[in-house]
Amino acid sequence: MINKKKVVQQLMEGSMKFSSYFLEEAMLSDTLRGQVMNKFRNRILTQYKTSNYPGLPDQVRQDKIDMAMALLESANRALERKQISGKVLHRLLKTFLANLIMDKDERANTAARSFAQRHGAPPPGVIVISPTKTCNLHCVGCYASSGYGGEHLKWDIFDRLITEGRKLWGLRFFTISGGEPLAYRSQGKDLIDAAVKHSDCFFMMYTNGTLIDKRMAERIADAGNLIPAISVEGFEARTDKRRGAGVFQLVLAAMANLRQAGIPFGISLTATRHNAEEILSDEFINFFFNDQQAVFGWLFQYMPIGRSYTLDLLVTPEQRLLMWRRTWQIIRERKIMLADFWNCGTVADGCIAAGRSRGYLYIDWNGKVTPCAFVPYSPANIHEIYQRGGTLDDIYELPYLRAIRQWQWEYALGKEKPERCGNLLLPCSLRDNFAMGRGLIDTYHPEPEDEAATEALRDDDYYKGMIAYNEALRKLLDPIWEQEYLLKFISMPLEQNGRLQLGF
């Protein structure tokens, strides 16, 4: 046991040096946890006092701080509730927090430096892999058109992607999507086997939750390095309407199993024209973040791709503005980590697709590499790359992906002055900037991921509808960007405007 009195004294004096052992003991201690959280808060403030991209507005930096503080407080609540088992906490600290926040993983740091020497930029921060298209549900509007087909990555390929990501790019975090990740089977292996084998990495999976019975929850807990984000569409009526009768109750049962096993979990939300208000209501937030004890939330605005794609499900521009205000209210006032990948684009410095530094790229069940799960156009297949003796490194230099990264640079990241920065409330290379994104597709001719993606390229009404949607978004959100980001803090440095200490 650690000497708590001595630790508190060292913390107060600022002389404590973090270690995985200390963090684990202190995080489980009601006496010491507050002091550790203060150290993390100070570290976050120090980290964000300078920006990686000096041409971004100061308010962008503030958004990052506010989101980081919400994540920290979300983790603190989970620890106070005793909903994280010692084993899961140990793995989380050892393979994720300690390494990422305290930069202690020399193996990963060496790989990242080597990547930067080869490619002239830091590596992506994560790879999203969908190892199977198989799913036990058949949801309306599924972006992946998932179902009962047998398309999947062979275990050797799935395993190699994780191994090379760790070795060549220094990755420690992988996101697993689908299909339904827990339905993956290959060569006698499943997703939990991958997590166990790669115990020095951490995984998050997007799951419908219906396969998380007590036995599966125990396996996830034993692995210790896999956190679920469970999909819901709203309350029971909306969830069952899209996902199938009885699914909502199965989701609640899965959450109960995860709580009992000491596994923290989040929720994954898809906002449409029909549920945008419901999923951000106080009633909904209270139910899932208080009653069900979700630790975090990811919010995806419906993307018109995949099965039965339609523009009719897109949130309206007016809804998007209301969602922007409401999401940030929840983040700042309630300190809940709820990230909208579009409306919180400032946190990630805009579009994170195509293997951007600290961004990601996507590999599907057939080995197709795409810039994003929601941009289903592939310039290469990992099977072909491997067959000709290549590695994961060869993906990074694909011309289509390079072109997207060049647009990201020209849109925002490479600007020298904030007033020249593109609107990061409209970050998506396809959904928010359709003419540009479609132009790159027409120039580089990446292969459509499926028939639905092919049909979208042929659909003239789809093209005109997306252009009109983008114009309506800009008419509404460009003035917000100017008022809230370009003008609001223009005359006062961030450290002097009083926001830095808000809520501490």
Side-chain angles (χ1 to χ4, degrees):
M1 292 293 294
I2 54 179
N3 185 325
K4 294 183 179 180
K5 184 175 180 180
K6 183 177 181 181
V7 166
V8 171
Q9 181 180 356
Q10 289 177 314
L11 280 166
M12 296 299 291
E13 295 172 351
S15 60
M16 171 59 68
K17 293 184 178 180
F18 285 113
S19 70
S20 295
Y21 170 75
F22 163 74
L23 279 175
E24 186 175 345
E25 291 287 325
M27 289 289 202
L28 294 173
S29 167
D30 292 334
T31 303
L32 297 178
R33 188 183 310 115
Q35 299 294 335
V36 175
M37 290 298 177
N38 284 334
K39 294 286 283 189
F40 276 127
R41 291 186 185 98
N42 291 334
R43 189 177 290 272
I44 289 169
L45 288 176
T46 300
Q47 178 180 348
Y48 285 121
K49 278 187 177 180
T50 58
S51 173
N52 293 315
Y53 304 104
L56 299 181
D58 280 341
Q59 180 60 32
V60 169
R61 219 180 335 158
Q62 185 65 56
D63 284 358
K64 295 177 184 180
I65 292 171
D66 291 343
M67 183 68 81
M69 294 303 171
L71 174 59
L72 199 61
E73 184 55 34
S74 295
N76 187 50
R77 281 193 296 269
L79 289 164
E80 287 178 345
R81 293 167 175 162
K82 311 297 184 186
Q83 70 180 97
I84 304 179
S85 73
K87 184 169 185 178
V88 173
L89 180 62
H90 172 77
R91 190 68 66 190
L92 182 65
L93 292 174
K94 185 175 181 181
T95 64
F96 188 49
L97 287 179
N99 290 330
L100 290 185
I101 294 177
M102 290 177 281
D103 205 26
K104 285 182 172 291
D105 190 340
E106 187 54 38
R107 175 186 172 192
N109 295 339
T110 299
R113 286 192 294 267
S114 178
F115 180 98
Q117 291 173 354
R118 296 192 304 273
H119 300 287
V126 64
I127 298 176
V128 178
I129 306 172
S130 287
T132 183
K133 192 177 183 180
T134 298
C135 184
N136 59 318
L137 302 182
H138 199 77
C139 303
V140 176
C142 174
Y143 81 91
S145 299
S146 298
Y148 294 103
E151 297 168 83
H152 68 273
L153 290 173
K154 290 184 178 180
W155 168 261
D156 292 344
I157 300 297
F158 184 32
D159 178 55
R160 180 174 175 179
L161 287 171
I162 300 170
T163 300
E164 286 189 350
R166 183 80 167 102
K167 179 180 178 181
L168 298 178
W169 294 6
L171 301 184
R172 294 160 287 206
F173 185 68
F174 295 83
T175 297
I176 310 299
S177 188
E180 169 51 48
L182 292 177
Y184 173 74
R185 300 290 186 278
S186 177
Q187 299 172 246
K189 304 288 187 181
D190 64 7
L191 177 60
I192 312 303
D193 292 313
V196 170
K197 179 175 181 181
H198 298 278
S199 60
D200 59 345
C201 299
F202 211 87
F203 299 84
M204 185 192 73
M205 65 170 172
Y206 291 108
T207 173
N208 62 47
T210 61
L211 300 181
I212 304 178
D213 55 17
K214 290 185 180 297
R215 174 58 185 148
M216 179 57 71
E218 290 171 358
R219 291 189 66 204
I220 295 172
D222 286 342
N225 60 339
L226 175 63
I227 288 182
I230 302 177
S231 298
V232 290
E233 309 299 327
F235 285 114
E236 188 163 15
R238 290 197 189 278
T239 296
D240 285 3
K241 182 177 181 179
R242 186 181 185 205
R243 297 185 169 268
V247 168
F248 188 80
Q249 291 302 321
L250 290 174
V251 164
L252 297 189
M255 291 179 176
N257 292 334
L258 292 169
R259 289 194 299 271
Q260 184 176 359
I263 304 164
F265 62 88
I267 56 174
S268 176
L269 309 169
T270 299
T272 71
R273 188 166 304 189
H274 305 304
N275 73 346
E277 289 81 9
E278 179 174 311
I279 61 177
L280 291 175
S281 67
D282 282 332
E283 184 182 10
F284 182 88
I285 296 299
N286 289 337
F287 180 77
F288 279 102
F289 288 96
N290 292 346
D291 299 347
Q292 299 303 315
Q293 300 183 0
V295 179
F296 60 90
W298 300 117
L299 201 162
F300 300 89
Q301 297 182 28
Y302 171 77
M303 184 79 168
I305 58 171
R307 180 185 301 132
S308 303
Y309 69 84
T310 174
L311 302 185
D312 294 338
L313 288 178
L314 283 167
V315 295
T316 67
E318 292 75 18
Q319 284 178 313
R320 182 151 166 180
L321 177 57
L322 290 173
M323 288 172 61
W324 173 73
R325 296 193 187 282
R326 176 60 176 154
T327 302
W328 279 108
Q329 180 185 33
I330 292 169
I331 293 166
R332 292 186 172 116
E333 294 181 7
R334 301 193 58 174
K335 297 293 188 292
I336 292 173
M337 194 282 195
L338 177 63
D340 179 334
F341 278 84
W342 281 264
N343 280 332
C344 298
T346 51
V347 175
D349 298 327
C351 172
I352 60 174
R356 198 201 85 185
S357 298
R358 289 171 289 278
Y360 91 109
L361 51 77
Y362 176 73
I363 301 173
D364 78 0
W365 42 82
N366 288 319
K368 292 181 179 179
V369 178
T370 71
C372 172
F374 302 105
V375 181
Y377 300 98
S378 172
N381 191 298
I382 194 64
H383 293 105
E384 296 170 358
I385 290 173
Y386 284 165
Q387 286 170 6
R388 62 173 181 256
T391 68
L392 197 58
D393 242 14
D394 293 281
I395 292 175
Y396 186 80
E397 297 298 343
L398 292 169
Y400 176 51
L401 301 185
R402 284 208 313 267
I404 294 176
R405 293 198 299 271
Q406 182 63 32
W407 169 77
Q408 293 165 345
W409 183 257
E410 294 172 356
Y411 186 75
L413 301 181
K415 300 300 185 184
E416 296 181 357
K417 297 181 179 180
E419 58 266 30
R420 296 177 181 175
C421 181
N423 187 346
L424 295 182
L425 304 182
L426 296 167
C428 183
S429 67
L430 194 63
R431 186 175 184 268
D432 299 330
N433 299 274
F434 186 79
M436 185 285 305
R438 175 61 186 269
L440 293 183
I441 292 170
D442 292 341
T443 298
Y444 293 95
H445 304 290
E447 179 185 357
E449 188 176 42
D450 53 27
E451 183 56 36
T454 300
E455 182 59 30
L457 296 181
R458 300 171 181 156
D459 189 338
D460 190 51
D461 289 338
Y462 179 86
Y463 183 93
K464 293 177 181 177
M466 288 299 293
I467 295 296
Y469 183 69
N470 285 183
E471 291 174 352
L473 284 174
R474 288 209 168 272
K475 184 177 180 180
L476 196 62
L477 295 181
D478 277 350
I480 299 297
W481 172 253
E482 182 175 351
Q483 295 165 14
E484 298 293 328
Y485 289 86
L486 300 186
L487 298 179
K488 189 173 182 180
F489 282 62
I490 198 167
S491 62
M492 190 181 301
L494 184 66
E495 291 80 2
Q496 297 176 17
N497 64 36
R499 287 287 308 286
L500 264 179
Q501 299 302 319
L502 182 62
F504 298 172

